Structures are given as C-alpha cells and as structure tokens.
Amino acid sequence: MTRIFKWHYLMNQEKNMEIKTAKEFLRSIDLKLYKHASNYKTKINGFSSLTRDKQNALDKMFEEYYMYIQENISLHGYSKEIISERVSLLNNYYNFINQNNFDNVFSSQGKFRSTILEEFMYILFRDLIVEKLSAIEDVNKKIKIGGQRAYTNLYFSGSNFLNFVENPEIGIHQKDQDFAIYRPVKITVENNLPLNANLPVVAIENKTYIDKTMLDGSISTAEKIKAGNPYCLFLIVCENYDVSLTIDPKYSKIDQIYVLRKAKRNAPNYNQPIFPEIVVDLFDEVNNHLSRDWSNVENKLLTSGKII
C-alpha cells in the first residue's frame, strides 16, 4: 500500500467512523421531536451523493450540533438560569453556522435553519410538560408535544341529498403546526368510522423571519385553530421581523409574536444574539396558560367582575 493510498484509506476509515457514530446517536433519540436532528439524518443518509464541499461542511456542522444537543440534553428544569443557559447554547450554535456561512450550503427547501427553532421549542418546554403530566397523573400520556397537524374544524358531507339524510359523512380539517401542545382525540358521529384529531391547547409557528405574506397566512391559521378550540394559545416565534411597522397584528387571533433578536430582518443589528429574557417571557406565557382557568365564569364574576 503506497503512502498516498494509505493516507486516503485512513481518512476514509475515519470518515466512516464519524458517520457511524452520527447514525448511532440519531437512532438513540426521537426524531419526531428532535426536528433538527431529523434534518441531519436525511443529509447524512445521502452523504455519498453530496459534493465534497457539502460533505466537509456537514461533518463540521454535525460535530458542532452534537456538542450543542448533548449539553442541552444534560440540562434539566426550566428556571430562568436554565433557560438562559439554553439560549446561550443556541446562540453559540447559530454563531457557528453564521460565521462559517453554512446557511448557504444547503438550499432553503431543505429547511435546515428553520428546524433549529422548531427543535428548540421542544427542548424548552419538555421538562415543563413532564412535570404537568406528573401533577395531573396522566398515566395514559394523553397530552403530547411536538410538530403536528392541529385540528381546526369538523364538516359534514354526503354524495347526494338521500345519502346526507340517511348517513351524513364527517371529515376534519387540520393545519400543520411547527410545535404544539395537544391532546389526540377520536371523533365519532353515528355510523361513521372514528376520526383521529389533535386538539391543540398551545400552537406555535416558527419562522427564521416573518414577512407580510407569512403574517397573513398565520392570521388565517390562528382564526381556524381558534374556531376549533377558542382556548388555544396561538403564538409566532421568529428570529427577525420583516413586516411594515405600520401594520399592527393586534386585530388578529394571534396572541403574541416573539421576535427573538428584537430586530427587523434588514436592519444592521439583524444578527444580534437572541435575548434570553424574550425566551423566558415566552416560556412564562405558555406556563401561565397551562396553569390558569380557561372557562370559569362563576369565579371570574366573583373575583374580577369580568366574564371574558
């Protein structure tokens, strides 16, 4: 074996070991919840078909991600200090990607960057939901979290008038949500087969940035989801804002829009670090929603005199 050939052989062996280690790690976690890890798995599975530049970039990115996610997994709880530490890890990971211009390695259709925030939502709320389920003794684990298709409404139909009278068919509409806290339910009407639906109590849309077109789409989604469950908290969480400041989303069914970098998309400070206090506020908003009464008219009447 020549020296050059031996060198390439050892390099390939090392590369194979790195890929094997990466795949073993990805098999050890739930990729339905770790959305960014799932994105990596897709790219690693197609590693041999990537260009050399993309292979080299993927190696470096996954190494950084592996350290980022392991440190996050090792953290437990949701105190202000823990959340701030998670944000620090997130900022470091974003900085690594930005400084190496890795955002442009894979196309936007691959959803590489957008899944970072989607996965972070699970990491942020994971321990809270575990605690909530323990407190209410949800042994059947009826409450779920993660990206899901969320219920919006029920509709009835029939192939003709007679069919509608004799046995109306039912259907449901659902909307994709980047992150949700939801309860799977079965809906049955008369002789129809039961339909499975996911009823959200918290629905979050994640965006790298949000512009006017995206905002209009989110407003429409919020209206549909709240028509199906008016007690659902609907939030948008994004890095940057790209909507005209003359437009006020207050009129919509969106409960809040969190802009984690406190900046417009094209502003000089668009890439400033994510602010931990915004993430803490986001967490508190969700926690408060899960803790307070949603419908207790008698209590509202007696304590505040405000019914809604």
Side-chain angles (χ1 to χ4, degrees):
M1 186 180 293
T2 66
R3 185 176 180 181
I4 294 177
F5 181 77
K6 184 177 181 180
W7 171 252
H8 283 294
Y9 171 78
L10 291 173
M11 288 291 289
N12 287 333
Q13 285 293 96
E14 184 178 345
K15 190 69 65 184
N16 290 335
M17 287 298 295
E18 289 174 359
I19 293 172
K20 182 180 178 181
T21 301
K23 288 184 175 181
E24 286 175 353
F25 166 71
L26 293 171
R27 281 195 294 267
S28 71
I29 60 176
D30 189 343
L31 296 178
K32 292 181 180 178
L33 299 173
Y34 289 91
K35 301 292 285 294
H36 195 49
S38 179
N39 196 292
Y40 269 114
K41 182 181 179 181
T42 300
K43 290 174 173 56
I44 289 171
N45 285 343
F47 190 84
S48 60
S49 64
L50 298 176
T51 65
R52 180 60 60 86
D53 287 343
K54 287 186 177 181
Q55 287 181 349
N56 291 335
L58 187 59
D59 280 342
K60 294 174 183 176
M61 285 190 292
F62 186 78
E63 182 180 359
E64 187 73 17
Y65 170 74
Y66 182 75
M67 292 187 293
Y68 156 75
I69 200 64
Q70 289 287 11
E71 289 187 68
N72 246 311
I73 290 174
S74 70
L75 294 173
H76 297 283
Y78 49 82
S79 66
K80 184 177 179 180
E81 292 73 24
I82 290 292
I83 293 175
S84 295
E85 194 167 346
R86 293 194 192 281
V87 173
S88 178
L89 292 171
L90 181 63
N91 275 322
N92 290 341
Y93 183 58
Y94 272 129
N95 288 341
F96 173 81
I97 291 170
N98 295 336
Q99 289 166 6
N100 290 279
N101 200 30
F102 285 150
D103 255 350
N104 300 319
V105 173
F106 298 102
S107 68
S108 58
Q109 285 78 11
K111 297 183 177 180
F112 176 79
R113 188 177 184 103
S114 62
T115 55
I116 299 174
L117 210 49
E118 292 176 29
E119 182 179 270
F120 186 75
M121 293 297 100
Y122 167 71
I123 294 170
L124 179 64
F125 294 111
R126 176 194 60 196
D127 291 344
L128 172 66
I129 298 305
V130 169
E131 183 179 286
K132 292 285 186 187
L133 296 186
S134 176
I136 63 175
E137 298 181 355
D138 182 15
V139 294
N140 295 319
K141 297 182 179 179
K142 294 176 182 177
I143 293 295
K144 309 286 185 181
I145 63 173
Q148 191 53 266
R149 289 180 60 76
Y151 171 86
T152 60
N153 66 286
L154 180 72
Y155 64 89
F156 296 87
S157 64
S159 57
N160 52 47
F161 181 65
L162 177 62
N163 175 255
F164 181 78
V165 172
E166 295 293 333
N167 188 29
E169 299 173 4
I170 62 170
I172 57 173
H173 285 141
Q174 301 188 89
K175 294 286 290 183
D176 288 332
Q177 289 301 289
D178 298 319
F179 177 83
I181 300 172
Y182 62 95
R183 187 194 191 284
V185 297
K186 287 186 181 293
I187 302 173
T188 305
V189 177
E190 292 187 345
N191 298 323
N192 287 274
L193 293 174
L195 296 174
N196 296 316
N198 300 305
L199 194 62
V201 294
V202 175
I204 296 179
E205 291 197 348
N206 294 122
K207 312 284 187 186
T208 301
Y209 66 89
I210 185 166
D211 59 19
K212 180 59 167 60
T213 301
M214 295 175 188
L215 177 62
D216 288 341
S218 296
I219 289 172
S220 175
T221 299
E223 290 173 348
K224 291 174 181 176
I225 284 183
K226 290 208 169 189
N229 179 16
Y231 303 115
C232 179
L233 180 71
F234 190 95
L235 307 172
I236 296 175
V237 180
C238 58
E239 291 184 57
N240 297 111
Y241 201 63
D242 200 31
V243 181
S244 170
L245 299 182
T246 62
I247 297 173
D248 189 348
K250 177 65 177 177
Y251 66 88
S252 72
K253 294 290 186 181
I254 297 170
D255 290 292
Q256 189 56 268
I257 300 174
Y258 289 92
V259 185
L260 301 183
R261 298 187 189 275
K262 290 187 184 180
K264 290 277 287 181
R265 182 189 178 197
N266 295 316
N269 63 338
Y270 82 98
N271 209 24
Q272 65 186 344
I274 289 171
F275 288 79
E277 63 267 27
I278 301 179
V279 180
V280 170
D281 190 276
L282 161 64
F283 180 89
D284 288 344
E285 179 67 20
V286 171
N287 190 17
N288 290 338
H289 178 67
L290 298 178
S291 303
R292 60 180 169 241
D293 285 336
W294 296 343
S295 179
N296 191 333
V297 175
E298 180 181 5
N299 182 61
K300 292 176 181 178
L301 174 64
L302 296 177
T303 57
S304 69
K306 296 184 291 186
I307 304 302
I308 298 177

